[in-house]
Amino acid sequence: MDEKRNLRASKLAQRDALDGETRARKSGNVCAKVAALAAEALDRTAATEREGRKPRVAVYAAMRSEVDLQPFVETVYARGWIPCFPCMVRDEPHAESRMAFYPVPIDRFDGARAEFLDHPLRCLPCGELAEHGYEEVDPADLDVVVVPLVAFDDAGNRLGYGGGNYDRLLPRLRADALVVGVAFDEQRTAAVPCEPHDRPLPHIVSA
């Protein structure tokens, strides 16, 4: 645990040290690569066409110095795909919090920023989001999932923030869903310390 904690602190400090211009340039490069991967994967996957629905793409609103996915989100909208954003929620007042994803149509994006996108750490009651017209998406309906990373290695192993939210999400995805981790090159490490339950990501994109 100490090894993970120390690596997390070190890589977050390196990520935070990137200046805004460098972070924006690198984020744009990452987004372009992710867009190409997503387009290729969705062209190969006929499931969404058979079901007669638009592809659903799990993204996130960047927090602090994370890779900024906004250019990719704009691509998602331009292609007619549906971006789904995470929110920490509770099913009942005293229940444990969990991460859920909500589709955000383009005409609701600005409103969603105020309602939950700009507050990624705030936990909301599921009922409150439902009252605002947001419907939780089943993880099995996600076609592409972009995962923010704190650290990664060349074997596809990842280190997150330690909350286990994506660890719980990934096993619930369809086998043919595209999962892509994103980070800056500065977050690469020789080897991420792993535990038996940790699973490497099939794709990690960095710049």
Side-chain angles (χ1 to χ4, degrees):
M1 292 299 292
D2 285 343
E3 191 177 4
K4 281 189 174 183
R5 187 180 302 111
N6 293 338
L7 178 61
R8 184 176 290 115
S10 171
K11 289 303 177 182
L12 285 176
Q14 285 182 265
R15 194 181 73 183
D16 290 344
L18 293 172
D19 62 83
E21 182 178 346
T22 299
R23 190 178 299 120
R25 173 177 53 80
K26 286 174 170 281
S27 292
N29 290 339
V30 168
C31 287
K33 295 176 184 177
V34 173
L37 275 175
E40 181 182 358
L42 292 173
D43 285 345
R44 289 197 311 264
T45 304
T48 53
E49 296 175 358
R50 287 197 304 270
E51 295 169 12
R53 65 170 180 80
K54 295 180 179 179
R56 295 181 178 181
V57 181
V59 291
Y60 63 84
M63 180 176 64
R64 297 193 291 269
S65 59
E66 289 178 332
V67 170
D68 185 357
L69 286 188
Q70 186 60 28
F72 177 61
V73 172
E74 292 170 4
T75 297
V76 170
Y77 281 129
R79 290 181 177 270
W81 306 337
I82 301 176
C84 302
F85 290 85
C87 181
M88 297 305 297
V89 299
R90 281 194 176 90
D91 298 295
E92 301 292 341
H94 301 293
E96 283 191 28
S97 63
R98 61 184 180 85
M99 183 176 68
F101 281 83
Y102 292 86
V104 178
I106 191 168
D107 61 340
R108 298 210 60 183
F109 182 74
D110 289 340
R113 290 188 67 94
E115 288 161 343
F116 70 96
L117 297 187
D118 287 344
H119 310 281
L121 299 181
R122 186 173 66 184
C123 188
L124 298 175
C126 290
E128 180 177 325
L129 287 161
E131 287 172 5
H132 285 92
Y134 296 105
E135 183 177 350
E136 182 179 345
V137 66
D138 187 326
D141 289 333
L142 294 171
D143 302 289
V144 177
V145 177
V146 183
V147 182
L149 307 179
V150 171
F152 67 97
D153 62 27
D154 290 335
N157 296 307
R158 57 174 281 272
L159 181 67
Y161 290 100
N165 290 310
Y166 282 93
D167 292 327
R168 288 186 286 272
L169 171 71
L170 296 178
R172 301 176 64 197
L173 303 176
R174 294 196 320 271
D176 64 345
L178 173 69
V179 181
V180 185
V182 294
F184 299 117
D185 288 335
E186 287 78 3
Q187 295 169 252
R188 178 182 278 107
T189 190
V192 171
C194 295
E195 298 176 58
H197 66 271
D198 290 329
R199 301 192 311 170
L201 295 181
H203 303 277
I204 293 179
V205 170
S206 66

